[in-house]
Amino acid sequence: MAGMKIGFYGHAKQYHSLKDEIDRAIHDVLESEKYVLGPQLVEFEKELAAYMGMKETVGLNSGTDALLLAFVALGIGPGDEVITTANTFFATAEAIWLAGATPVFVDSDPRTRNIDVTQIEAAITPKTKAIVPVHLYGLCADMPAVAKIARAHRLWVVEDCAQAIGARGDGFAIGELSDVVCLSFIIQKNLGCFGDGGAVATNHPEVATAIRKLRNHGSLKRSYHSIGYNSRLDDIHAAVLRIKLKHVDEWSRKRRSLAAVYDLRLAGAPMTLPFTPPGYEHVYHLYVVEVEGRDDLQSYLDSRGITALTHYPIAIHQQEGFPWGRPARVNPLPVTEKSAATVLSLPMYPELTREEAEYVAQEVLNWVASRQAVPTAAH
Ligand SMILES: Cc1ncc(COP(=O)(O)O)c(C=O)c1O
């Protein structure tokens, strides 16, 4: 297996596995001349809603806009506070700022790495309008706990589900315990188009209509406008996503079986492996370990032909210039900061073979062994 090259993504392999169908679908859109707000988008929105078991979905041009437009549609803006986690991709907080609101960061749970629900209530003030749990790396946050707090304090719940399409909690589905679910279809996500894309899913038809209007320059009817955005999911992307949506569950199963290889081979190694609470279905958008000597392991793997990346090595409140003159409230975040210093994501995508995952795990163990080798005393 020496000389194996293992990249971090399998985009081209996935394309090749569906090439004929995708090529035909793109070709058909090109011939149809219906590229924006066309029939592929309409059909994709229906199929996505059925897949998620939700009333409506609205296709948008990114996951970031899904969050932003959800906040705007829910009336969240300047002076309002939104409680979220700093252990996430930057866009979660960025969208709160873009809506004009104030992100309030609470720490993450050391086992699940999701928002620590025991810290939410203490962060609530009269200005709090919403909670934004992130289903980090493909594992659902503790939504029953979030929903209970939200109900007691009359807050909106917006799920950042950019990394977790297809995931399930213990006895609950995504979207069942919140107001809006935000999805990203950027190529590297579990359901990815060939570029940028996103969507919201909601069981509130009036929120769906408001977002439909916002995405199209504040217009639901030709020539009639109020102020909105230009944030539509193109029909070419929708056509591709319709094809890939049919494979998402099978891909999630593949991801779980690869995670099981890592879990088994790395059990007992001096690192923290991903944790799945009982009854939850993880979809392993990423397989992230926490390990002392992370940078050294990353370079070692690189020297063995394996690309491992970090998600996220600089937490939002640690970014240079934070908070750029915008409002923000930061609670103590020791767990998030420890994660930032130690996280490493191993290759994880449905096109990765079992043999490749075994090779990655073996190289991780080789690195561990090289660090544990006792230097012989000089005489
Ligand atoms: C947790 C999280 N939130 C939001 C986003 C933003 O999505 P997009 O890149 O589609 O704007 C991403 C991914 O990029 C993400 O991982």
Side-chain angles (χ1 to χ4, degrees):
M1 290 209 271
M4 230 187 218
K5 263 246 160 296
I6 302 181
F8 197 75
Y9 299 115
H11 303 328
K13 284 184 189 156
Q14 186 172 91
Y15 168 53
H16 293 141
S17 74
L18 298 168
K19 187 175 184 317
D20 291 347
E21 210 180 342
I22 286 175
D23 287 355
R24 202 172 333 112
I26 292 174
H27 171 85
D28 289 350
V29 174
L30 295 179
E31 289 293 344
S32 77
E33 296 188 346
K34 297 195 171 95
Y35 307 142
V36 180
L37 297 179
Q40 291 298 324
L41 178 60
V42 173
E43 290 310 307
F44 173 62
E45 288 176 345
K46 284 188 205 151
E47 288 162 10
L48 181 64
Y51 174 81
M52 299 195 63
M54 296 185 68
K55 281 191 186 152
E56 286 197 49
T57 70
V58 184
L60 303 169
N61 74 8
S62 69
T64 308
D65 273 13
L67 290 159
L68 171 61
L69 271 54
F71 298 143
V72 174
L74 295 174
I76 295 166
D80 297 333
E81 292 181 351
V82 177
I83 297 173
T84 192
T85 160
N87 191 14
T88 179
F89 179 59
F90 188 74
T92 311
E94 188 181 33
I96 296 170
W97 279 307
L98 290 174
T102 303
V104 176
F105 299 104
V106 300
D107 211 358
S108 39
D109 178 288
R111 293 234 284 176
T112 64
R113 289 104 176 237
N114 280 323
I115 190 165
D116 182 346
V117 292
T118 65
Q119 298 192 17
I120 294 175
E121 215 142 20
I124 294 174
T125 73
K127 293 180 178 173
T128 309
K129 281 283 166 57
I131 306 171
V132 180
V134 179
H135 306 316
L136 197 68
Y137 309 146
L139 175 69
C140 279
D142 183 352
M143 290 304 297
V146 170
K148 193 166 164 214
I149 297 166
R151 262 196 305 274
H153 296 270
R154 303 177 60 80
L155 305 175
W156 298 112
V157 179
V158 175
E159 292 177 72
D160 184 337
C161 189
Q163 305 190 356
I165 189 167
R168 281 193 66 83
D170 182 18
F172 68 90
I174 284 168
E176 215 175 290
L177 298 170
S178 71
D179 298 289
V180 183
V181 178
C182 298
L183 298 155
S184 165
F185 305 127
I186 189 170
I187 176 68
Q188 66 263 31
K189 294 296 191 263
N190 289 24
L191 175 63
C193 60
F194 294 117
D196 279 304
V200 292
T202 178
N203 289 321
H204 302 307
E206 68 286 3
V207 173
T209 303
I211 294 174
R212 233 173 259 291
K213 191 170 172 189
L214 284 169
R215 77 172 170 187
N216 190 33
H217 306 286
S219 175
L220 286 170
K221 189 173 163 195
R222 193 178 164 75
S223 305
Y224 292 81
H225 297 270
S226 57
I227 292 175
Y229 302 80
N230 177 356
S231 184
R232 301 160 301 219
L233 179 70
D234 295 325
D235 267 49
I236 287 186
H237 290 315
V240 170
L241 290 167
R242 290 184 69 196
I243 294 167
K244 291 195 179 188
L245 182 62
K246 292 182 275 183
H247 298 273
V248 163
D249 286 343
E250 159 203 335
W251 289 337
S252 296
R253 282 193 290 276
K254 187 76 201 301
R255 288 172 181 273
R256 277 194 288 274
S257 73
L258 293 165
V261 172
Y262 286 150
D263 284 347
L264 190 68
R265 296 294 309 275
L266 300 178
M271 57 188 64
T272 307
L273 304 182
F275 167 73
T276 307
Y280 280 61
E281 263 184 34
H282 204 312
V283 292
Y284 291 100
H285 170 58
L286 295 166
Y287 187 96
V288 179
V289 301
E290 291 189 15
V291 57
E292 295 301 330
R294 178 267 314 277
D295 294 346
D296 192 49
L297 174 55
Q298 186 177 20
S299 318
Y300 174 84
L301 291 175
D302 188 55
S303 75
R304 308 296 297 153
I306 298 164
T307 306
L309 298 179
T310 48
H311 303 83
Y312 297 91
I314 308 169
I316 292 163
H317 67 294
Q318 297 173 317
Q319 294 288 341
E320 199 181 333
F322 170 91
W324 308 278
R326 307 261 181 157
R329 269 206 303 125
V330 184
N331 289 285
L333 304 170
V335 175
T336 298
E337 287 169 9
K338 178 166 184 286
S339 291
T342 57
V343 282
L344 189 67
S345 311
L346 303 182
M348 167 57 70
Y349 43 93
E351 297 74 25
L352 191 74
T353 65
R354 190 187 169 94
E355 187 195 22
E356 288 171 325
E358 295 275 0
Y359 173 72
V360 173
Q362 187 53 53
E363 288 298 349
V364 172
L365 294 174
N366 291 349
W367 174 79
V368 169
S370 74
R371 303 252 302 180
Q372 285 171 344
V374 185
T376 45
H379 290 288

